[in-house]
Amino acid sequence: MRRLYILVILGFISNNIAAQDSHLGAWYIYFGDIKVKEKFHIHYEAQYRNYDMMGDLEQLLLRTGIGYDINNHHQVLLGYGNITAENYTGYFDEKTRTNENRIFQQYIGKHNHGRFSFLHRVRFEQRFFKNDFLTRFRYFIAPKIALNNKAFDDNTVYLSLYNEIFIGGREDYQFNINRVYGGVGYKLNSKLKFEIGYMNQMFKLFNRDQLNFICALNL
């Protein structure tokens, strides 16, 4: 387990050393889960992604789904997302607006070891555009380390890291994106936590930096 934490940290460092042309933006993220039965829950999230700190829209992402808890450590989910994107074209200050409907299936594994928490997620996406259809695989790995407590109890400050790899296409699957993140969070209680951090996205030809502001609510 400790070796996995070290690999993620090294990946974070090496990715930023290799960063090329990069621009700082911001993501504002709100997500959570509502338990509806003993093993079922509804997941929801909203992400407002900007090229700048505010006002220059990159993406507005709305996502929801129905999850099933196999046990305390394993979970599966079937979800839907609607994504509105405004991307710059070439070197001009012009944008193109696209809308995407997305269906996805995912598995999440969670494990806690004292002050260490570990999560990994495998997701398969089917992406529907107006005149196109794509599929994509994603793998997400995220260790967290409690700083002021020996476990993730109430009022815990923690260090958060993650790395996510995207592989997608039509028939020939290729590397799309690699996201590396480092941040600091505060767990108020079992229902509410806040987090702020820095993320670098590595695309095929360039890198992009974002600040992340996250609120998570579980009911």
Side-chain angles (χ1 to χ4, degrees):
M1 184 62 65
R2 291 182 178 178
R3 292 178 182 177
L4 286 172
Y5 297 146
I6 294 171
L7 286 174
V8 172
I9 293 171
L10 290 176
F12 175 80
I13 295 171
S14 62
N15 190 76
N16 284 278
I17 291 174
Q20 303 168 10
D21 187 21
S22 183
H23 303 280
L24 182 64
W27 288 14
Y28 301 92
I29 303 169
Y30 174 76
F31 66 90
D33 295 300
I34 301 175
K35 186 173 288 293
V36 292
K37 286 190 177 181
E38 182 179 356
K39 288 184 172 293
F40 288 92
H41 66 273
I42 297 174
H43 175 78
Y44 61 94
E45 63 182 271
Q47 299 192 26
Y48 181 58
R49 302 175 177 179
N50 275 261
Y51 287 104
D52 295 322
M53 291 300 296
M54 183 69 72
D56 190 2
L57 178 66
E58 179 184 1
Q59 282 186 341
L60 175 62
L61 187 152
L62 304 174
R63 195 154 41 200
T64 187
I66 298 176
Y68 176 76
D69 298 324
I70 300 171
N71 53 41
N72 291 334
H73 302 290
H74 305 281
Q75 174 193 107
V76 291
L77 184 141
L78 174 65
Y80 164 78
N82 181 268
I83 299 93
T84 299
E86 293 186 0
N87 298 312
Y88 284 101
T89 58
Y91 295 96
F92 303 97
D93 291 333
E94 297 180 359
K95 285 177 141 184
T96 59
R97 187 182 182 93
T98 60
N99 185 262
E100 174 188 348
N101 291 290
R102 184 183 301 175
I103 298 171
F104 64 95
Q105 305 82 40
Q106 72 179 29
Y107 159 79
I108 290 179
K110 302 177 182 179
H111 303 279
N112 295 317
H113 302 275
R115 66 173 66 243
F116 296 97
S117 172
F118 176 77
L119 180 148
H120 68 96
R121 181 183 70 205
V122 179
R123 178 180 290 172
F124 180 51
E125 299 175 329
Q126 300 83 52
R127 309 174 66 198
F128 299 88
F129 300 88
K130 183 177 180 180
N131 297 311
D132 204 359
F133 171 73
L134 301 171
T135 57
R136 185 165 65 183
F137 291 96
R138 301 168 56 167
Y139 178 69
F140 175 95
I141 180 171
K144 290 182 173 64
I145 305 171
L147 300 177
N148 62 324
N149 292 319
K150 294 183 179 180
F152 282 82
D153 301 320
D154 293 352
N155 299 309
T156 295
V157 178
Y158 61 88
L159 175 66
S160 178
L161 302 168
Y162 77 69
N163 198 139
E164 185 170 22
I165 298 173
F166 296 66
I167 299 174
R170 293 174 180 84
E171 296 179 357
D172 54 335
Y173 287 89
Q174 299 179 6
F175 167 81
N176 288 161
I177 308 170
N178 185 53
R179 290 177 182 168
V180 181
Y181 169 88
V184 176
Y186 174 67
K187 179 183 176 182
L188 178 64
N189 51 44
S190 60
K191 295 183 179 180
L192 184 63
K193 66 179 180 182
F194 303 93
E195 199 168 306
I196 182 172
Y198 161 85
M199 181 182 69
N200 181 269
Q201 292 194 92
M202 179 184 290
F203 298 89
K204 289 183 179 180
L205 300 177
F206 64 95
N207 284 40
R208 184 178 296 153
D209 298 319
Q210 271 93 20
L211 296 175
N212 284 11
F213 303 91
I214 303 168
C215 175
L217 177 65
N218 296 316
L219 299 175

